[in-house]
Amino acid sequence: MNRIYLDHAASTPLLPEVIDTMITSARHVNGNPSSIHREGVLAKNIIEESRKSLAQFLHTSPSQVFFTSSATESNNFIIHSAVQAGNIKNIITSPIEHPAILNAIKFYNRNNNINISYLTPDSTGIIDLNELEEKLKVFGKGTLVCLIHIHNELGTMLPLVEVAQLCATYGADLHSDTVQSIGLMDVDVNVPGLTSIVGSAHKFNGPKGVGFVYLKDSSHYHPLLYGGPKERNMR
């Protein structure tokens, strides 16, 4: 029986050229990218070329792109960092965010006394920008807004530019889970108020186990995982 795979919102098949690249790398690229010998430099160069390609797609600098293991790790990193830095006391989100956002927020609400305020989306998943603005007026600076760009189940698209402009007006930070949009549409991160986004390669025909974070200003963030100097000491 022939089956046709249609669940691309959950995960996509690898493109043939991706498979070829992974096989070539597995056979010939064995170095640690932190090593200074030829094999390490080769591995480092491949990572940096990938970073440059992604940065070009996002219309940003490679220095603002950090690789992770997944969008879940990326989302947790953003929230962890915002809370640990002590700059964020309030989080505005919606009850239909991805569990990688909702469960991380609930953890910090229990353990760090972070105030959470939920927007009320309509039956199609659209949020009310007036409601968001009223909450921003109350909380203002020291607020992180976490809203998904394209909803993973409903397909609803957030008006990212308008939301970012509202956040900029009231001094809030905007983090958007762009997992369902990166690779499928142009996303320009050069919007005032938008401070971070995340993505995952397996949503656009890349391998599982590869995610990324875009940070407008990495100096405001602390690592989620501590160890060596990978990803410019961020991971």
Side-chain angles (χ1 to χ4, degrees):
M1 176 180 172
N2 291 328
R3 291 173 57 83
I4 299 175
Y5 180 75
L6 298 175
D7 196 14
H8 285 224
S11 191
T12 55
L14 291 171
L15 290 175
E17 55 265 43
V18 174
I19 295 173
D20 292 343
T21 300
M22 292 174 68
I23 290 173
T24 299
S25 293
R27 284 177 174 164
H28 303 294
V29 185
N30 303 308
N32 184 324
S34 293
S35 300
I36 60 173
H37 49 58
R38 182 181 302 174
E39 290 78 7
V41 171
L42 173 61
K44 178 72 170 178
N45 287 343
I46 290 173
I47 292 172
E48 294 311 315
E49 283 302 312
S50 298
R51 195 188 314 277
K52 188 184 300 181
S53 296
L54 179 55
Q56 288 174 345
F57 183 79
L58 298 174
H59 310 282
T60 191
S61 163
S63 65
Q64 295 173 295
V65 175
F66 299 83
F67 290 122
T68 68
S69 68
S70 65
T72 293
E73 180 192 329
S74 299
N75 280 321
N76 274 263
F77 161 65
I78 293 296
I79 295 168
H80 166 85
S81 237
V83 172
Q84 294 302 316
N87 301 321
I88 298 299
K89 303 300 180 184
N90 306 290
I91 296 178
I92 299 174
T93 188
S94 81
I96 60 171
E97 297 300 301
H98 191 278
I101 290 288
L102 290 179
N103 289 334
I105 288 173
K106 289 174 183 175
F107 172 84
Y108 286 107
N109 172 246
R110 292 192 305 267
N111 294 279
N112 295 77
N113 296 316
I114 298 298
N115 176 59
I116 305 175
S117 184
Y118 293 96
L119 300 169
T120 306
D122 67 14
S123 59
T124 64
I126 297 290
I127 68 162
D128 185 342
L129 294 185
N130 291 323
E131 183 187 15
L132 173 59
E133 184 168 17
E134 289 304 312
K135 290 183 182 294
L136 287 170
K137 286 179 181 178
V138 174
F139 298 125
K141 197 171 182 180
T143 298
L144 176 65
V145 177
C146 294
L147 293 172
I148 195 167
H149 186 202
I150 296 181
H151 198 273
N152 54 302
E153 295 181 2
L154 300 173
T156 304
M157 183 182 295
L158 180 78
L160 192 62
V161 173
E162 291 87 339
V163 171
Q165 288 172 341
L166 276 176
C167 290
T169 297
Y170 293 96
D173 292 342
L174 173 61
H175 168 62
S176 186
D177 182 332
T178 54
V179 167
Q180 297 293 347
S181 45
I182 295 295
L184 301 176
M185 61 184 294
D186 185 56
V187 178
D188 188 341
V189 297
N190 295 297
V191 179
L194 180 62
T195 54
S196 58
I197 66 170
V198 302
S200 188
H202 77 99
K203 299 290 186 175
F204 49 94
N205 305 104
K208 295 174 176 63
V210 180
F212 79 87
V213 174
Y214 155 79
L215 301 175
K216 186 177 291 292
D217 184 357
S218 62
S219 66
H220 296 164
Y221 294 84
H222 298 275
L224 176 64
L225 302 173
Y226 288 90
K230 298 293 193 300
E231 294 301 307
R232 301 188 299 287
N233 295 304
M234 199 62 74
R235 187 172 182 264

